[in-house]
Amino acid sequence: MRINKKEAMSTMKAAVYLRPGKIAIEEKPVPVPGPGEALIKITTTTICGTDIHILKGEYPVKPGLTIGHEPVGVIAALGAGVTGYELGQRVVVGAISPCGQCYSCLDGQQSQCGGKPAGGWRFGNTIDGCQAEYLLVPYAMSNLEVIPEGLTDEQVLMCPDIMSTGFGGAESGDIKIGDTVVIFAQGPIGLCATAGAKLRGASLIIAVDGVSSRLEMAKTLGADITIDYTKTDPLTEIMRLTQGRGVDVAIEALGTQATFESCLRALKPGGRLSSLGVYSGKLSLPLDAFAAGLGDHKIITTLCPGGKDRMRRLMNVVKSGRVKLDAMVTHRFKLDDIEQAYDLFANQRDGVLKVAITT
Amino acid sequence: MRINKKEAMSTMKAAVYLRPGKIAIEEKPVPVPGPGEALIKITTTTICGTDIHILKGEYPVKPGLTIGHEPVGVIAALGAGVTGYELGQRVVVGAISPCGQCYSCLDGQQSQCGGKPAGGWRFGNTIDGCQAEYLLVPYAMSNLEVIPEGLTDEQVLMCPDIMSTGFGGAESGDIKIGDTVVIFAQGPIGLCATAGAKLRGASLIIAVDGVSSRLEMAKTLGADITIDYTKTDPLTEIMRLTQGRGVDVAIEALGTQATFESCLRALKPGGRLSSLGVYSGKLSLPLDAFAAGLGDHKIITTLCPGGKDRMRRLMNVVKSGRVKLDAMVTHRFKLDDIEQAYDLFANQRDGVLKVAITT
Amino acid sequence: MRINKKEAMSTMKAAVYLRPGKIAIEEKPVPVPGPGEALIKITTTTICGTDIHILKGEYPVKPGLTIGHEPVGVIAALGAGVTGYELGQRVVVGAISPCGQCYSCLDGQQSQCGGKPAGGWRFGNTIDGCQAEYLLVPYAMSNLEVIPEGLTDEQVLMCPDIMSTGFGGAESGDIKIGDTVVIFAQGPIGLCATAGAKLRGASLIIAVDGVSSRLEMAKTLGADITIDYTKTDPLTEIMRLTQGRGVDVAIEALGTQATFESCLRALKPGGRLSSLGVYSGKLSLPLDAFAAGLGDHKIITTLCPGGKDRMRRLMNVVKSGRVKLDAMVTHRFKLDDIEQAYDLFANQRDGVLKVAITT
Amino acid sequence: MRINKKEAMSTMKAAVYLRPGKIAIEEKPVPVPGPGEALIKITTTTICGTDIHILKGEYPVKPGLTIGHEPVGVIAALGAGVTGYELGQRVVVGAISPCGQCYSCLDGQQSQCGGKPAGGWRFGNTIDGCQAEYLLVPYAMSNLEVIPEGLTDEQVLMCPDIMSTGFGGAESGDIKIGDTVVIFAQGPIGLCATAGAKLRGASLIIAVDGVSSRLEMAKTLGADITIDYTKTDPLTEIMRLTQGRGVDVAIEALGTQATFESCLRALKPGGRLSSLGVYSGKLSLPLDAFAAGLGDHKIITTLCPGGKDRMRRLMNVVKSGRVKLDAMVTHRFKLDDIEQAYDLFANQRDGVLKVAITT
């Protein structure tokens, strides 16, 4: 194992889930990478909507777990068998960290690694995450991606999760040149889906939300039309805009019955519903909108694609300047102050979109 | 227009929907084909599960409409502009009769012809159907397909609907070589989906039903394993058979919450649910089986593909001898006796699978 | 048939192929649309590279044929059975005019309409084309597309052929988000392929040509990097830019051994060669670049997609403002002066890219 | 590392390439698996056409290299980090052994592992192969697949290469239900492509070869029609059988200009050429058959898909009884006599199809 001396045998700060309502900074030992693993010194990370579900106890994780799955950092140590990297390289690691070698990964379903639901999502879910000074990365050969020269931490901060997820929503919707696309909800994921829809060649992109600052950001990222659902009925407006045809693709980016159902109702016969939200409670398929099963509908859910090739591609998009997502960083905190960051983000105050947490 | 004299100016018998619970033979004028249309003398047709929904008033059609969408017959007259056919040729026409020239058809969604939900389904739905002595075929150039020499009416009787639908279920499930597939319900559609799964290279096909004669037929058509759900819990058995992995593809062939939900629960993470059933009442997505939206699931509904190229392909499959679906014809009736046929079929007596109605 | 009086029984001017080297304006009768046909008063059209092949006798057509396949005009008459349109509507018709109802069309291969090679290409090839005052459009229901309000003739002039072809090259290359793409040759088709590659989400687009004005236009339309092959070896430069990986997709837009072969050599193992050129002479696959057949290569040729749904989509892209192709119109002529236009275009003088011909 | 004692520190016999024309048995040390590797005691292997190219010096490998890439054996030792397996388990390893963790593998192009042409083909190419008593398997987690109970070595002997390659040819041809398919050459690979075409739902499968015993085997494996090209002109016959349409898919399974060109000429416009052969010399695309690039052709080459998920799927197909490829084993030899086996196989004597080599 190659390791910098200063990292050995020391402790680090980590944001740890304690109980519903409480995530706090604690001291933990700095992990030591075993074969195939790597240790990353985190330089910047962020908080995801999913972390808020964890904070609130809605998505259960083991008390004591370090939270966070959006790491940007520097290679601090490399376990046996991890080759082609150097200590000190700046890297991004996807929120989803596939092994690459199980049946699911070899079959192209890396997010369902190990054949378990969402099995590729490990950080801050089944193993310690990255809201900490250091992160232990499993399957490092599949997951470490060096940041191209000239890109800042904040420029690549969206790559591990929301850019990959949002773009994935556009990709799973199989958007074709000239398609009409609606995206319901313009939080960070929805905004990235809007950017993704533009990147795939949609000719009319309709973004729906109830917060005007988000709708403005949507315009910047690619929406041709924005609908504030607090003022206008989205379905009426969508049908007007599409001359009654309905949209080719509807992207759900919130995880509620209302947005899911609106997507279905906005679709043309034969349309595609690309679902990104994490649902709770109940979810039903209104049969009128579903044409009783005769409408040649497709409903596709997408969990954030990960792995180093995905990160390479996304960072190349950032580098190309085609999409600028760093404008979504509205607030900045030190790791020590992460509880304040959670408070702000959980309560959606001050027009927060994404926070940058530095160490 | 080319037309045989005897067809001109006469009347015919037709099975007409009158009111909930009542379909009866009535006299109607023999239609005269306009430009682009053709008149078919029906030789054999059949009753579909959907016709039973119509009979019961569950699927509303206009009183007075001739029912039936599975025509086998002989060309009796050709309207202006219909070229490449001859009077007297034996033909099949799909249950779905796309125009070929609207936006939906040109975009590859022929079943949603005209951009209306299930818009390609015209016969016995929005225009007079084929449980009659004659059938008027719109868009004849897109829809008439000559029966290859040597095939009987009964051999091609499943092509217009159930073979096309069932195979479509296997196709939409994107079955790959070596996939494990379950089909819930082994009525005529489910049996064809079973045959289709075999035709696409699934290596383990599990058929579920509660009627032993249907499960026996499933074995003949390609099922490796059959599960009688009245005796064995299908999900437990499926998980045992797949060593806990779940199936790659689950095909729903009934249209109920129970079968839809069982499909979802039988799937591996990242699996594909191919839905063929016509649903009524309510349909919900159980979020545990749906991995809260994080499971990379695909849900695809398929309405019977139609058009003459589809019919050509299906009849070629019949001709190849790879699949023998005429064994599904368990009972035979004359058109005059179609009310008895409805009675038998609606009540699923005498092990009926499909009835052949001849004129 | 609905027809304006003034069009009936009159004659019109048409650019007719006479013999190798000679296309000239002649008088012809204005056609009268039969069932399913429409008559278009041409307002603007253009000359294609293929027309130059015809002029030179390299692509043989019947002497006396009217040339041209890129029509923009106004509906002057509608044959029986053509519904949903009005006389006087401004329309675009694709260079490829599929029937929508043959086996090939119903199977999604509209450009090979009738099962004949390039069978969907009729105008100026197998029937009279649009370098004339009037154009007879077969299968009008499949092919007439009304121009959205607010778009000029020149804005939609690229839709019938080069935009559809160039975008088709990007689509057939199956460009994925973050892909690296090279386009060899930046004539009108290659420029549109460059624009198409951007529209599909490529993160690095490399355009190769030897004419600096074309490379400048390529930059405007989406190229990140341009290579003047008269000054720099493209393959060396491509390998440098991709750190030796090769590109994911190479688009051939000229139709020569040199560009085809360069595409193959520029590709990564497993890469996709999307070919748009019309080849003459000989074409060989260099086995070293082809990995002796072991490289998981894909070579896909694309003939301009046509039909009204394609035209609708492309005009929506124009309307969205995402791509501005009218800047490619460098010269303008009256139909009467089309011989001068041919002379200019055939000899590539004055930096000509596309000429607009008005009536 | 877990290892059986008897395997440690000993030597083994291996078939080694010495010089053009000479492969001979030599003694080599039994390899010791490092981290991520496994040692397999070979029980059965076979000789591939590619090995003959190596023998003849047509495909250059390093003198001293152990030849062979079709291993069936028993786990003899497991390196560090290889989990989920037990010593003594019977396993198959694909001819292609992807790492699973490089950019190419994570992007779904496992045969081009490492981004090098055919980079996933290691055994008997870039590292020692399996015509030996023991085989060292790199990336064991991606590549070891346990043989299902009840299957003999000979039943799974085709899985590592020819079954995977031949089926891959059918898969890459994107065969649809009802397609017409021709396979040129019925050696082991072509026969497996024939079986694969049947497994994907082709309704008319035409097999072409000049050896009657191979054509008979083709009939057993799925060919509807066989053509002996020494007696009948295949293209004339194919056009007759398809009523002049041409085939939907043509599979090349030899690697010559003649078969490649015949495939192209047999195709319908818009058809797909799936190429499996390893070409030498020159390869050209006849432009008449290629419609000068306007025919919407697809040419796809496929290198044998590998990895444990592929092996799992293929062995499941064997287990299902759908395809019986062990009938292709016509001769059996001990490893000591492998030079005789090469002599027989290279000269195609005694109707040899595949030889089984046991240790």
Side-chain angles (χ1 to χ4, degrees):
Chain A
M1 196 189 70
R2 292 167 281 160
I3 185 164
N4 282 338
K5 272 216 175 140
K6 61 172 183 174
E7 270 92 20
M9 311 290 287
S10 60
T11 63
M12 65 174 187
K13 291 172 190 162
V16 168
Y17 170 75
L18 296 176
R19 58 183 179 276
K22 189 67 183 173
I23 286 172
I25 294 291
E26 297 208 341
E27 288 282 317
K28 284 197 173 185
V30 174
V32 177
E37 299 177 339
L39 183 71
I40 303 305
K41 169 95 183 67
I42 297 299
T43 51
T44 307
T45 185
T46 177
I47 300 176
C48 180
T50 314
D51 298 329
I52 303 303
H53 288 296
I54 291 173
L55 171 67
K56 293 185 179 169
E58 294 164 359
Y59 185 96
V61 300
K62 214 170 129 184
L65 189 82
T66 305
I67 303 308
H69 51 261
E70 295 160 285
V72 182
V74 171
I75 299 178
L78 294 164
V82 182
T83 59
Y85 297 96
E86 314 249 328
L87 298 192
Q89 283 180 313
R90 293 176 63 225
V91 292
V92 151
V93 181
I96 304 298
S97 49
C99 77
Q101 302 190 317
C102 68
Y103 296 102
S104 298
C105 283
L106 290 165
D107 201 26
Q109 298 193 307
Q110 297 153 357
S111 296
Q112 312 298 323
C113 183
K116 291 175 200 143
W121 176 28
R122 294 182 165 93
F123 298 130
N125 182 28
T126 57
I127 65 173
D128 275 340
C130 64
Q131 291 171 8
E133 288 180 285
Y134 290 92
L135 174 72
L136 187 71
V137 179
Y139 314 110
M141 291 295 286
S142 296
N143 288 296
L144 295 185
E145 183 60 14
V146 175
I147 299 172
E149 255 182 74
L151 297 187
T152 66
D153 276 19
E154 287 194 6
Q155 281 182 299
V156 298
L157 182 59
M158 309 310 158
C159 296
D161 186 348
I162 65 167
M163 184 185 186
S164 190
T165 301
F167 282 20
E171 294 164 312
S172 293
D174 193 18
I175 293 172
K176 293 179 169 57
I177 287 182
D179 267 354
T180 298
V181 179
V182 67
I183 302 98
F184 273 91
Q186 293 292 308
I189 297 278
L191 286 166
C192 289
T194 296
K198 184 168 181 199
L199 211 56
R200 293 303 284 163
S203 62
L204 180 66
I205 300 173
I206 305 166
V208 183
D209 204 292
V211 177
S212 62
S213 60
R214 297 186 168 208
L215 292 173
E216 276 159 41
M217 180 67 81
K219 282 240 167 187
T220 315
L221 290 173
D224 299 286
I225 304 276
T226 57
I227 301 177
D228 182 338
Y229 70 82
T230 66
K231 298 179 183 161
T232 308
D233 176 54
L235 291 173
T236 308
E237 184 63 7
I238 290 164
M239 287 304 158
R240 194 187 66 78
L241 288 164
T242 61
Q243 292 91 46
R245 298 169 45 97
V247 298
D248 298 288
V249 179
I251 304 181
E252 199 287 337
L254 187 61
T256 68
Q257 176 69 30
T259 47
F260 180 84
E261 189 168 330
S262 293
C263 280
L264 206 56
R265 293 190 185 283
L267 281 178
K268 70 171 184 185
R272 303 178 290 283
L273 194 172
S274 178
S275 167
L276 296 175
V278 184
Y279 300 90
S280 50
K282 287 194 167 186
L283 188 60
S284 71
L285 277 159
L287 288 179
D288 58 335
F290 198 49
L294 299 175
D296 287 324
H297 287 98
K298 289 191 178 68
I299 301 174
I300 311 105
T301 68
T302 304
L303 176 59
C304 177
K308 73 182 178 188
D309 190 62
R310 179 70 171 181
M311 292 304 113
R312 179 184 69 81
R313 288 171 170 275
L314 296 182
M315 289 197 286
N316 280 346
V317 171
V318 173
K319 199 179 163 192
S320 76
R322 301 227 194 308
V323 179
K324 289 182 212 300
L325 298 175
D326 47 327
M328 292 171 62
V329 178
T330 51
H331 296 73
R332 290 166 187 81
F333 293 86
K334 299 297 287 182
L335 177 60
D336 284 328
D337 304 323
I338 199 166
E339 289 189 62
Q340 293 170 42
Y342 266 100
D343 185 55
L344 174 88
F345 191 72
N347 294 293
Q348 295 294 319
R349 282 201 309 268
D350 291 347
V352 63
L353 272 171
K354 287 292 274 186
V355 299
I357 309 287
T358 52
T359 54
Chain B
M1 197 189 67
R2 291 166 281 159
I3 184 161
N4 282 338
K5 272 218 174 139
K6 61 174 182 174
E7 270 91 19
M9 311 290 286
S10 60
T11 63
M12 65 174 187
K13 292 172 191 163
V16 168
Y17 170 77
L18 296 176
R19 58 184 179 276
K22 191 65 183 174
I23 286 172
I25 294 291
E26 296 207 341
E27 287 282 317
K28 285 197 173 185
V30 174
V32 177
E37 299 177 339
L39 183 71
I40 303 304
K41 167 95 184 68
I42 297 297
T43 51
T44 306
T45 185
T46 178
I47 301 175
C48 180
T50 314
D51 297 330
I52 302 302
H53 287 297
I54 292 173
L55 171 66
K56 295 185 178 170
E58 294 165 357
Y59 184 97
V61 300
K62 213 170 131 183
L65 189 82
T66 304
I67 304 307
H69 52 261
E70 294 160 285
V72 182
V74 171
I75 298 177
L78 293 165
V82 182
T83 59
Y85 298 95
E86 314 248 327
L87 298 191
Q89 283 181 313
R90 293 176 64 225
V91 292
V92 151
V93 181
I96 303 299
S97 49
C99 76
Q101 301 189 318
C102 67
Y103 297 102
S104 298
C105 284
L106 290 165
D107 200 26
Q109 299 194 305
Q110 298 154 356
S111 296
Q112 312 297 323
C113 183
K116 291 176 199 141
W121 176 28
R122 295 181 166 94
F123 298 130
N125 182 27
T126 57
I127 65 173
D128 276 340
C130 65
Q131 292 171 7
E133 288 180 284
Y134 291 91
L135 173 72
L136 188 72
V137 179
Y139 314 109
M141 291 297 285
S142 296
N143 288 296
L144 295 185
E145 183 60 15
V146 175
I147 300 172
E149 253 182 76
L151 297 187
T152 66
D153 277 21
E154 288 193 5
Q155 282 181 297
V156 299
L157 183 56
M158 310 310 159
C159 295
D161 186 347
I162 64 167
M163 185 183 185
S164 191
T165 302
F167 282 20
E171 293 164 312
S172 294
D174 193 18
I175 293 173
K176 293 178 170 55
I177 287 182
D179 267 356
T180 298
V181 179
V182 68
I183 302 98
F184 274 91
Q186 293 293 307
I189 297 278
L191 286 165
C192 288
T194 296
K198 183 168 181 198
L199 212 56
R200 292 303 284 164
S203 62
L204 180 67
I205 300 172
I206 305 166
V208 182
D209 205 293
V211 178
S212 61
S213 61
R214 296 186 167 207
L215 292 173
E216 276 159 41
M217 180 67 81
K219 283 239 165 189
T220 316
L221 290 173
D224 299 285
I225 304 276
T226 57
I227 300 177
D228 182 337
Y229 71 83
T230 66
K231 298 178 184 163
T232 308
D233 176 53
L235 291 173
T236 308
E237 185 63 6
I238 290 163
M239 288 302 158
R240 193 188 65 78
L241 287 164
T242 60
Q243 292 92 45
R245 297 169 47 96
V247 298
D248 298 289
V249 179
I251 303 180
E252 199 288 337
L254 188 61
T256 68
Q257 175 70 28
T259 46
F260 180 83
E261 189 168 331
S262 293
C263 280
L264 205 56
R265 293 189 184 283
L267 281 178
K268 71 172 184 184
R272 303 178 290 281
L273 195 171
S274 178
S275 167
L276 297 175
V278 184
Y279 300 91
S280 51
K282 286 194 168 186
L283 188 60
S284 72
L285 276 159
L287 288 179
D288 57 336
F290 198 49
L294 299 175
D296 286 324
H297 287 99
K298 289 192 178 67
I299 300 174
I300 311 105
T301 69
T302 305
L303 176 59
C304 177
K308 73 181 177 188
D309 190 62
R310 178 70 171 181
M311 292 304 112
R312 179 184 70 79
R313 288 171 170 276
L314 296 182
M315 289 197 286
N316 280 346
V317 171
V318 172
K319 200 180 163 192
S320 76
R322 301 226 193 311
V323 179
K324 289 181 211 302
L325 298 174
D326 47 328
M328 291 171 63
V329 177
T330 51
H331 296 75
R332 291 166 186 82
F333 293 86
K334 299 298 288 182
L335 178 60
D336 284 327
D337 303 322
I338 199 167
E339 288 190 63
Q340 292 171 44
Y342 267 100
D343 185 54
L344 175 87
F345 191 72
N347 294 292
Q348 295 294 320
R349 281 201 311 268
D350 291 347
V352 63
L353 272 171
K354 286 293 273 186
V355 299
I357 310 287
T358 52
T359 54
Chain C
M1 195 188 70
R2 290 166 281 160
I3 185 163
N4 282 339
K5 273 217 173 139
K6 61 174 184 176
E7 269 90 18
M9 310 290 286
S10 62
T11 62
M12 65 174 187
K13 292 172 190 162
V16 168
Y17 170 77
L18 296 176
R19 56 184 179 276
K22 190 65 182 174
I23 286 172
I25 293 291
E26 298 207 341
E27 288 282 317
K28 284 196 172 185
V30 174
V32 177
E37 298 176 340
L39 183 71
I40 303 303
K41 168 94 183 69
I42 296 298
T43 51
T44 307
T45 185
T46 178
I47 301 176
C48 179
T50 314
D51 297 330
I52 302 303
H53 288 296
I54 292 173
L55 172 66
K56 294 185 177 169
E58 294 164 358
Y59 185 96
V61 301
K62 212 170 130 185
L65 188 82
T66 305
I67 304 308
H69 51 261
E70 294 159 287
V72 182
V74 172
I75 298 177
L78 293 165
V82 183
T83 58
Y85 298 95
E86 315 248 327
L87 298 190
Q89 283 182 311
R90 294 176 62 226
V91 292
V92 151
V93 181
I96 304 298
S97 49
C99 77
Q101 301 189 319
C102 68
Y103 297 103
S104 298
C105 284
L106 290 165
D107 201 25
Q109 298 194 306
Q110 297 154 356
S111 296
Q112 312 297 324
C113 183
K116 292 176 199 140
W121 176 28
R122 295 182 165 94
F123 298 130
N125 182 27
T126 57
I127 65 174
D128 276 340
C130 64
Q131 292 172 7
E133 288 180 286
Y134 290 91
L135 173 73
L136 188 72
V137 179
Y139 314 109
M141 291 296 286
S142 296
N143 288 296
L144 296 185
E145 183 60 16
V146 175
I147 300 172
E149 253 181 77
L151 298 186
T152 66
D153 277 21
E154 288 194 5
Q155 281 181 297
V156 298
L157 183 57
M158 310 310 159
C159 295
D161 186 347
I162 64 166
M163 185 183 185
S164 191
T165 301
F167 282 21
E171 293 164 313
S172 294
D174 193 18
I175 294 172
K176 292 178 170 57
I177 288 182
D179 267 356
T180 298
V181 179
V182 68
I183 302 99
F184 274 91
Q186 293 293 307
I189 297 278
L191 286 166
C192 289
T194 297
K198 183 168 181 200
L199 212 55
R200 293 303 285 163
S203 63
L204 180 67
I205 300 174
I206 305 166
V208 182
D209 205 292
V211 177
S212 61
S213 61
R214 296 185 168 208
L215 292 173
E216 276 159 41
M217 179 68 81
K219 283 240 166 189
T220 315
L221 291 172
D224 299 285
I225 304 275
T226 57
I227 300 177
D228 182 337
Y229 71 83
T230 66
K231 298 179 183 160
T232 308
D233 177 53
L235 292 173
T236 309
E237 184 63 7
I238 290 164
M239 287 304 158
R240 193 186 67 77
L241 288 163
T242 60
Q243 292 91 46
R245 297 169 46 96
V247 298
D248 297 289
V249 179
I251 303 181
E252 199 288 336
L254 188 61
T256 68
Q257 175 70 28
T259 45
F260 180 82
E261 190 168 329
S262 293
C263 280
L264 205 56
R265 292 188 186 285
L267 280 179
K268 71 171 183 183
R272 303 178 289 282
L273 194 172
S274 178
S275 167
L276 297 174
V278 184
Y279 300 90
S280 51
K282 286 193 168 187
L283 188 60
S284 72
L285 276 159
L287 288 179
D288 57 337
F290 198 49
L294 298 176
D296 286 323
H297 287 98
K298 289 192 178 66
I299 300 174
I300 311 106
T301 69
T302 305
L303 175 59
C304 177
K308 72 181 177 188
D309 190 62
R310 178 70 170 181
M311 292 305 112
R312 179 185 68 81
R313 288 171 170 275
L314 296 182
M315 289 197 286
N316 280 346
V317 171
V318 173
K319 200 179 162 192
S320 76
R322 301 227 193 309
V323 179
K324 288 181 212 301
L325 298 174
D326 48 326
M328 291 172 62
V329 178
T330 52
H331 297 74
R332 290 165 187 84
F333 292 86
K334 299 298 288 180
L335 178 59
D336 284 326
D337 303 321
I338 199 167
E339 289 190 62
Q340 292 171 42
Y342 267 100
D343 185 55
L344 174 88
F345 191 72
N347 295 293
Q348 295 294 319
R349 281 200 311 267
D350 291 346
V352 65
L353 271 171
K354 287 292 273 186
V355 300
I357 311 287
T358 53
T359 55
Chain D
M1 193 188 72
R2 291 167 282 161
I3 185 163
N4 281 339
K5 272 216 174 141
K6 60 174 184 175
E7 271 91 19
M9 311 289 286
S10 61
T11 64
M12 65 174 187
K13 292 172 190 163
V16 168
Y17 171 76
L18 297 176
R19 58 184 178 276
K22 190 67 184 173
I23 286 172
I25 294 291
E26 296 207 343
E27 289 282 317
K28 284 197 172 185
V30 174
V32 177
E37 300 177 338
L39 183 72
I40 303 304
K41 168 95 184 68
I42 296 299
T43 51
T44 306
T45 185
T46 177
I47 301 175
C48 180
T50 314
D51 296 330
I52 302 303
H53 287 297
I54 292 173
L55 172 66
K56 294 185 178 169
E58 294 164 358
Y59 185 97
V61 300
K62 213 171 130 183
L65 189 82
T66 304
I67 304 308
H69 51 260
E70 294 159 287
V72 182
V74 171
I75 298 177
L78 294 165
V82 183
T83 59
Y85 298 95
E86 314 247 326
L87 298 191
Q89 283 181 314
R90 294 176 63 224
V91 291
V92 152
V93 181
I96 304 299
S97 48
C99 77
Q101 302 190 318
C102 68
Y103 296 103
S104 298
C105 284
L106 290 166
D107 201 26
Q109 298 194 307
Q110 297 154 357
S111 296
Q112 312 297 323
C113 183
K116 291 176 198 140
W121 176 27
R122 295 183 165 94
F123 297 130
N125 182 27
T126 56
I127 64 173
D128 277 339
C130 64
Q131 292 171 8
E133 289 180 284
Y134 290 92
L135 173 72
L136 188 71
V137 179
Y139 313 109
M141 291 296 286
S142 295
N143 288 295
L144 296 184
E145 183 59 16
V146 175
I147 300 172
E149 254 182 75
L151 298 185
T152 65
D153 276 21
E154 287 193 5
Q155 282 182 297
V156 298
L157 183 58
M158 309 310 159
C159 295
D161 187 346
I162 65 167
M163 184 183 185
S164 190
T165 302
F167 282 20
E171 293 164 312
S172 294
D174 193 18
I175 294 172
K176 292 179 171 57
I177 287 182
D179 267 355
T180 299
V181 179
V182 67
I183 302 99
F184 274 90
Q186 293 293 308
I189 296 278
L191 287 166
C192 288
T194 297
K198 184 169 181 201
L199 211 56
R200 292 302 285 162
S203 62
L204 180 68
I205 300 173
I206 305 166
V208 182
D209 204 291
V211 178
S212 61
S213 61
R214 296 186 167 207
L215 292 173
E216 277 160 40
M217 180 67 83
K219 282 241 166 190
T220 315
L221 291 173
D224 298 285
I225 304 276
T226 57
I227 300 176
D228 182 337
Y229 70 83
T230 66
K231 298 179 183 160
T232 307
D233 176 54
L235 291 173
T236 308
E237 184 63 7
I238 290 164
M239 286 304 158
R240 194 187 65 77
L241 288 164
T242 60
Q243 292 91 46
R245 298 169 45 97
V247 298
D248 299 288
V249 178
I251 304 181
E252 200 287 337
L254 187 61
T256 68
Q257 175 70 29
T259 46
F260 180 83
E261 189 167 329
S262 294
C263 280
L264 205 55
R265 292 188 186 285
L267 280 178
K268 70 171 186 185
R272 303 177 290 282
L273 193 172
S274 178
S275 167
L276 297 174
V278 184
Y279 300 90
S280 50
K282 286 192 168 187
L283 188 61
S284 71
L285 276 160
L287 287 179
D288 58 337
F290 198 49
L294 298 176
D296 286 324
H297 288 98
K298 289 192 178 67
I299 300 174
I300 311 105
T301 69
T302 304
L303 175 60
C304 177
K308 73 181 178 188
D309 191 60
R310 179 69 169 181
M311 293 304 112
R312 178 184 69 82
R313 287 171 170 275
L314 296 182
M315 290 197 285
N316 280 346
V317 171
V318 172
K319 200 180 163 192
S320 75
R322 301 227 193 310
V323 179
K324 289 181 211 302
L325 298 174
D326 47 327
M328 291 172 62
V329 178
T330 51
H331 296 75
R332 289 165 187 83
F333 292 87
K334 300 297 287 181
L335 178 60
D336 284 328
D337 304 322
I338 199 167
E339 288 190 62
Q340 293 171 43
Y342 267 100
D343 185 54
L344 174 88
F345 191 73
N347 293 292
Q348 294 295 320
R349 282 202 308 269
D350 291 347
V352 64
L353 272 171
K354 286 292 274 186
V355 299
I357 310 288
T358 51
T359 54

